Amino acid sequence: MGRLWSLLFLLVPVLGTLVFVLAMADIGPLYKHWLPLNANSHGGIIDSLFLFILGLTGVIFVGTGVALFWFMWKYDEQRNREPVKFSHGSHTLEVVWSILPAATLVFIAIFQMDAWANAKMKRPLVSPGADGVEGTLDDIFQPPLVEVVGRQFEWRIRYAGKDGVIGTEDDVHTVNTLFLPVNEEIVIEVTSMDVLHSFFLPNMRVKQDLVPGMKQLVWFKPVKTGVFDLVCAELCGWGHYKMRGRMIVGTRAEFDEWLEDLRQQQNQTILTSR
Amino acid sequence: MSTTTVGSHGAAGAQMSVSQFIDTYVFSRDHKIIGLQFLFSTLLWFLVGGLLALGIRWQLAWPWSDMPVIGRMLFHTEGGQIAPEFYTMLFTMHATVMIFFVIIPILAGAFGNYLIPLMIGADDMAFPTLNMLSYWFMWPAFICIGSSFFLPGNGAASGWTSYPPLSAVWEAAPGSGMAQTMWLLGITFVGVSSMMGSVNYMTTIIQMRAPGMTMFRLPLTIWGMFITAVLQAFALPVLTAAGFMQLTDRVLGTGFFLPEGLIVNNNDMASGGGQPLLWQHLFWFYSHPAVYIMILPAMGMVSDIISCFARKPVFGYKPMVYSISGIAGLGFIVWGHHMFVSGMNPMLGMTFMVSTMMIALPSAVKVFNWLGTIWGGKISFTTPMLFALSFVSMFIIGGLSGIFMAATPVDIFIHDTYFIVAHFHYVLFGGTAMAVFGAIYFWFPKMFGRMMNEPWGQVHFFLTFVFLNGTFYLMHILGAVGFPRRLADPYDYQTFAHLQPMNQFITICAIGMVASQFIFAVNFIYSMFYGTPCGRNPWGANSLEWAAPSPPGHGNFDFQPIVYRGPYEYGSPEVETENYPQWQPPPDKPGDGGAGQDNPEKKA
Ligand code: HEM
Ligand SMILES: [Cu+2]
Ligand SMILES: [Cu+2]
């Protein structure tokens, strides 16, 4: 029996690796079971970090899994004729297998920091300001193009009107459809009216919880046109599943036209309702 | 030692008066009875939690479809379908039951109670009455949370994390009004119960060890329990306080977690001035250490089982102790990794990333030491050993997936997806639950004086192991696609529409996994009454509990155990036998007569 059990344990690294390989290769039943299309010019780094960690942990996964199998196979009581190795451990080994993983883990952490800073801390600039140096006080930031407010269970979306400022009379309002121009640095202001929501754009590798009482910014640069999902990723009540939005990415001209249409429709309704 | 009372309660059971019966079995102050009470209660809740999980899986595989057989009974109003608010309740209660009523109390309450005095050579806990209360304080919790199933409305429905404002504002979840309040009360009672246990365990382990039982001769199970008790003592007050704050937000109109200007469901909220993120900080300040509360005792038990069946000392005993302590220490400074995208200052995210990466280190050290333990041993593949080895195999997966999520940029994408669900099921089911099964098979003979059926145990192991991986492994893949957790119907999103077949496969495995547990249930109940009777030390183990009769009588030992060595002297060259129990006097020092009763087996 020992042999069979060892083989069962060997299946863990074998099948475990196989599943990931098939998914990455888009083969068979695992077709399209991998990271969805990335359409954000800053999103690729997240995918590569994911793959980097996958490679690293994959080696450890297979290594430890095979070692476990091999020890089970070899030291099965029914076959192992050698006496038990009476040992309480090895100082050298402990040192080695503490320092190596520690160094690796610290390295992984440091390796992530740039990507994190770019995703959450370094808001895109229009220009570094008069002194020409980024990260100084006179930096001119990219202003938010649109504001997204979460509400049970919809996305309220608001574009600046002619004055270019969000929060004034002439804002353009819509619900659940976020239209954005392609190939531009987009900054979005997000918040919530009621409970927590999470603004999740799988294809942009963007996720930010919306917290009532806090205005936050998210930014990305869509580089592909098309229709993408806008998902609510934080439980917000019974209707959480239907808090579905979509993001349409079009050319600048399409965007302007769409916004203009919307503005006119809105003026129309305001006029008729008066 | 109270030799006279040994075995008295078992034999006298028949002629007991009612009040004696109540003293002995209901409001018992004997740590073994209390341990068994915890064990039976938690196993029953395990069943409840498992069925709730099947409800979740049903919806994810065949959304909004008529549930066979039980659907009509449960939701006749919806024509046998799961309603969205019911789905929210399902995953909330599944997690609540599994975490607060199964994993935490089965480790600390059942095994902690049963094993601590026996393994350290004490006749009972330091505070037997407090111990009894710690069990009976679970009942208000059972009632509070159990009743929320039956209260009008839909049960608590803001997830086991209970994030405000959803959880703190009645209008945000109209269906779960009273139930959510009861939920908070229930969690508070669990906290009180754990706190009583924690104080008791710490005192007992520090004060009541048998002569010769130094701290570094404690079995790792006891180290796991000890550090867990310390974690609980430091972390629980924060949860209790936060729970009360949320309770007052709900019922008294305070605004600890509610910001100014909320408009919920078209109602302007009067209260305000608080911060929703504050709850998350307080909650995770408890609940991250709590995830270690949910695994450290399991790690200890696994170490004991592996060493016993590899017939070899634990490799690196002291590094094992240091890593348990290291995990516990670091466990207090990593809570922010649950909040990377919550709106917490991203600068803090960086520090939490580094500390979280570091906590993977002691986990790695432990894995290497388990591998070192079986290296060069003589492994017998008994059911407890299989479960213990599977713990190692599954914990590796859960630990490694933790690294993905600790990496902040990667976590932006996988946070709140099935990747997280895969992670914590690998550590909690693949890890802790498998360890608990192993521990039950291992210590059952001590608890009931009979063996569990071995072939059926192996069948149970095989099916559980296969179905467990079938259920949880593919969730990593779902997570890689971004498949969100806690969503009643994700298939309307174009990104996730094609994932339904995979979810159906997962559901079928989950049904298989729950079904396999009936083998275990039958084996357990049958063996209690008809299992092969066993002696004191059926596994030829070393630690002190095996010196006591099986089951031990009141007062545990029929002789005063004296400890001569550590608990892992298997294959020692000093003796002829394979094991060298802690209580067996060295050959040159004749014993005190009570030692090594019907034991140990000779080396082959
Ligand atoms: C190797 C060590 C570990 C690391 C690096 C790690 C890391 C993490 C991280 C970063 C998260 C948050 C993910 C997110 O929500 O985006 C997480 C979640 C979680 N971890 Fe771990 N973890 C480790 C071990 C464990 C262990 C041993 C347990 C339990 C026994 C555990 C249980 C959980 C649970 C229950 C959650 C999810 C809570 C929830 O959101 O509902 N983890 N882990
Ligand atoms: Cu939502
Ligand atoms: Cu954590």
Side-chain angles (χ1 to χ4, degrees), chain B residues 507-566:
Chain B
T507 297
I508 293 168
C509 291
I511 295 173
M513 189 162 75
V514 172
S516 323
Q517 304 319 310
F518 287 96
I519 301 176
F520 168 74
V522 172
N523 191 350
F524 188 98
I525 295 170
Y526 179 87
S527 308
M528 262 171 72
F529 300 104
Y530 308 108
T532 323
C534 64
R536 287 171 191 244
N537 193 0
W539 308 115
N542 278 346
S543 41
L544 279 186
E545 76 275 29
W546 304 105
S550 306
H554 208 58
N556 293 344
F557 294 92
D558 43 10
F559 64 100
Q560 169 61 59
I562 295 173
V563 176
Y564 297 96
R565 62 191 66 77

Side-chain angles (χ1 to χ4, degrees), chain B residues 133-448:
Chain B
L133 284 176
S134 90
Y135 175 70
W136 287 104
F137 261 80
M138 285 303 282
W139 276 89
F142 292 161
I143 290 166
C144 285
I145 290 190
S147 72
S148 73
F149 283 108
F150 305 106
L151 289 170
N154 309 298
S158 30
W160 80 279
T161 48
S162 195
Y163 281 0
L166 180 61
S167 56
V169 178
W170 288 67
E171 287 81 353
S176 53
M178 202 52 203
Q180 185 70 34
T181 309
M182 292 308 257
W183 185 91
L184 277 168
L185 282 173
I187 297 307
T188 309
F189 281 117
V190 178
V192 174
S193 155
S194 298
M195 195 53 148
M196 293 197 262
S198 151
V199 172
N200 213 347
Y201 301 165
M202 283 192 285
T203 317
T204 308
I205 295 172
I206 293 175
Q207 291 291 335
M208 300 190 43
R209 283 167 289 136
M213 181 63 99
T214 58
M215 284 308 265
F216 281 124
R217 283 181 181 170
L218 287 174
L220 288 169
T221 301
I222 300 301
W223 269 108
M225 299 286 177
F226 180 63
I227 300 290
T228 298
V230 176
L231 281 178
Q232 287 192 320
F234 284 98
L236 260 171
V238 178
L239 180 75
T240 310
F244 271 113
M245 288 156 80
Q246 189 171 112
L247 204 61
T248 60
D249 274 9
R250 267 188 87 72
V251 298
L252 299 182
T254 55
F256 291 111
F257 306 125
L258 303 175
E260 214 77 54
L262 278 190
I263 305 174
V264 181
N265 227 336
N266 295 323
N267 298 289
D268 282 302
M269 295 290 113
S271 53
Q275 238 296 356
L277 289 189
L278 174 61
W279 166 264
Q280 297 184 28
H281 282 290
L282 296 177
F283 180 83
W284 290 116
F285 185 82
Y286 164 76
S287 287
H288 185 84
V291 307
Y292 295 111
I293 290 170
M294 292 183 252
I295 203 157
L296 294 181
M299 288 174 158
M301 298 194 295
V302 162
S303 310
D304 282 12
I305 296 173
I306 288 185
S307 172
C308 174
F309 292 110
R311 306 270 90 184
K312 204 177 150 258
V314 161
F315 198 87
Y317 172 87
K318 281 199 180 169
M320 286 294 222
V321 172
Y322 299 145
S323 7
I324 295 181
S325 320
I327 290 177
L330 284 169
F332 277 104
I333 53 166
V334 298
W335 79 90
H337 65 217
H338 297 274
M339 301 174 60
F340 287 146
V341 300
S342 67
M344 177 180 75
N345 185 335
M347 199 73 122
L348 272 176
M350 289 222 189
T351 60
F352 280 121
M353 163 165 64
V354 176
S355 55
T356 304
M357 290 287 177
M358 288 332 293
I359 210 167
L361 176 64
S363 313
V365 169
K366 294 193 74 79
V367 168
F368 296 140
N369 279 312
W370 285 317
L371 290 176
T373 306
I374 62 170
W375 162 81
K378 277 187 188 301
I379 304 170
S380 45
F381 291 91
T382 57
T383 309
M385 183 61 165
L386 288 169
F387 275 106
L389 290 171
S390 76
F391 172 97
V392 178
S393 173
M394 301 291 95
F395 180 72
I396 291 173
I397 299 181
L400 290 176
S401 62
I403 298 177
F404 289 78
M405 297 140 42
T408 44
V410 177
D411 191 59
I412 295 177
F413 181 63
I414 56 179
H415 172 70
D416 265 334
T417 69
Y418 262 73
F419 202 89
I420 313 302
V421 180
H423 164 70
F424 62 71
H425 282 96
Y426 265 96
V427 279
L428 288 177
F429 197 99
T432 306
M434 295 300 262
V436 163
F437 283 131
I440 291 179
Y441 283 99
F442 188 62
W443 279 292
F444 188 93
K446 183 57 50 189
M447 293 172 173
F448 301 105

Side-chain angles (χ1 to χ4, degrees), chain A residues 16 32 75 77 80 82 85-86 88 94 98 116 151-152 193-194 207-209 214 216 227 229 233 244, chain B residues 172 262-263 266 312 316 341 346 369 376-379 412-413 415-416 473 492-495 498 569-570:
Chain A
K32 280 187 69 181
Y75 299 113
E77 168 198 46
N80 180 17
E82 293 165 34
K85 293 193 172 62
F86 184 71
H88 288 89
E94 301 290 347
S98 304
W116 174 249
R151 174 178 183 270
Q152 285 179 330
M193 270 168 79
D194 43 28
K207 188 178 286 136
Q208 179 60 57
D209 285 7
M214 271 173 79
Q216 303 184 73
V227 182
D229 283 323
R244 245 188 328 267
Chain B
L262 278 190
I263 305 174
N266 295 323
K312 204 177 150 258
V341 300
N369 279 312
K378 277 187 188 301
I379 304 170
I412 295 177
F413 181 63
H415 172 70
D416 265 334
Y473 197 79
D492 278 341
Y493 287 111
Q494 56 178 13
T495 319
H498 61 292
E569 300 302 293
Y570 296 101

Side-chain angles (χ1 to χ4, degrees), chain B residues 580-591:
Chain B
Y580 194 12
Q582 289 189 280
W583 65 91
Q584 182 178 308
D588 52 353
K589 232 165 97 191

